[in-house]
Amino acid sequence: ELKVEQNPLFLSMQEGKNYTIYCNYSTTSDRLYWYRQDPGKSLESLFVLLSNGAVKQEGRLMASLDTKARLSTLHITAAVHDLSATYFCAVGFFMNRDDKIIFGKGTRLHILP
Amino acid sequence: GAGVSQTPSNKVTEKGKYVELRCDPISGHTALYWYRQSLGQGPEFLIYFQGTGAADDSGLPNDRFFAVRPEGSVSTLKIQRTERGDSAVYLCASSLTGWGEQYFGPGTRLTVT
């Protein structure tokens, strides 16, 4: 069964702190996406990770991919209130023309001023 | 440039009726995707088009759902005999190439009464 699990699902943290969101998936994949969603809005693409060991950074966010461990992380450095949102990882599964993307349940991040 | 647009933004319909949801992708994007998102959940993949053809429709929940992209640009998601369980936000995304970075539209909120 194809599964994508994120944890934690809810995270409340202080400004200035560091934290990591984890995304585990069940079957081999080499395409991993991270998105941000603000309340009542659509999804904004953050990162696309395409190979084992890939690391991408944008501002205070850094994403990495370990395909052998079937794990991606989204690391937040020195959090600021503007980063409060829901973060989704999504994994691409490509199998003999049965291609699909499966999203995790999302991590609702609340950063306290 | 213009992003992905979706119309209508909101649609309220009665159980049993037929609805059409439209998506205009970013110009030049060959790949187009439909998802639906229920409150508090991650998006659920429905169908993926590469050009005019449905490359993968394995996510369509049943035969009441159908999508077309006749000229490789605009796509329409069609739902027959709507049910209350179809109520959700329907999201469309496009990417330059298949399974590349996806840009999401604002979504259509469908409510079936």
Side-chain angles (χ1 to χ4, degrees), chain A residues 31 33 35 37 40-48 50 88 92 94 97-106 108, chain B residues 6 33 35 37 40-45 48 54-56 58-59 91 98-107 109:
Chain A
R31 193 156 303 206
Y33 309 80
Y35 294 94
Q37 187 173 38
K41 304 290 186 182
S42 191
L43 280 79
E44 174 191 354
S45 176
L46 296 174
F47 303 107
V48 182
L50 300 177
F88 292 98
F94 310 116
R97 293 181 54 80
D98 185 14
D99 300 338
K100 53 175 57 73
I101 285 181
I102 296 181
F103 278 73
K105 291 183 183 294
R108 190 176 300 173
Chain B
Q6 292 185 246
Y33 316 80
Y35 300 86
Q37 186 176 25
Q41 301 295 315
E44 173 193 2
F45 169 77
Y48 155 55
D56 192 312
S58 61
L91 296 166
W99 304 110
E101 183 174 21
Q102 295 182 30
Y103 297 84
F104 279 78
R109 182 177 298 277

Side-chain angles (χ1 to χ4, degrees), chain B residues 6-72:
Chain B
Q6 292 185 246
T7 54
S9 55
N10 280 284
K11 176 71 177 179
V12 180
T13 191
E14 292 180 349
K15 179 174 176 295
K17 299 290 188 183
Y18 168 82
V19 295
E20 289 190 352
L21 311 180
R22 176 188 167 108
C23 172
D24 274 276
I26 293 172
S27 178
H29 280 196
T30 63
L32 185 146
Y33 316 80
W34 283 98
Y35 300 86
R36 71 177 175 183
Q37 186 176 25
S38 300
L39 192 63
Q41 301 295 315
E44 173 193 2
F45 169 77
L46 297 177
I47 187 169
Y48 155 55
F49 287 91
Q50 181 60 50
T52 60
D56 192 312
D57 63 359
S58 61
L60 294 177
N62 51 60
D63 61 7
R64 295 187 297 107
F65 289 74
F66 188 71
V68 295
R69 194 187 186 199
E71 297 178 357

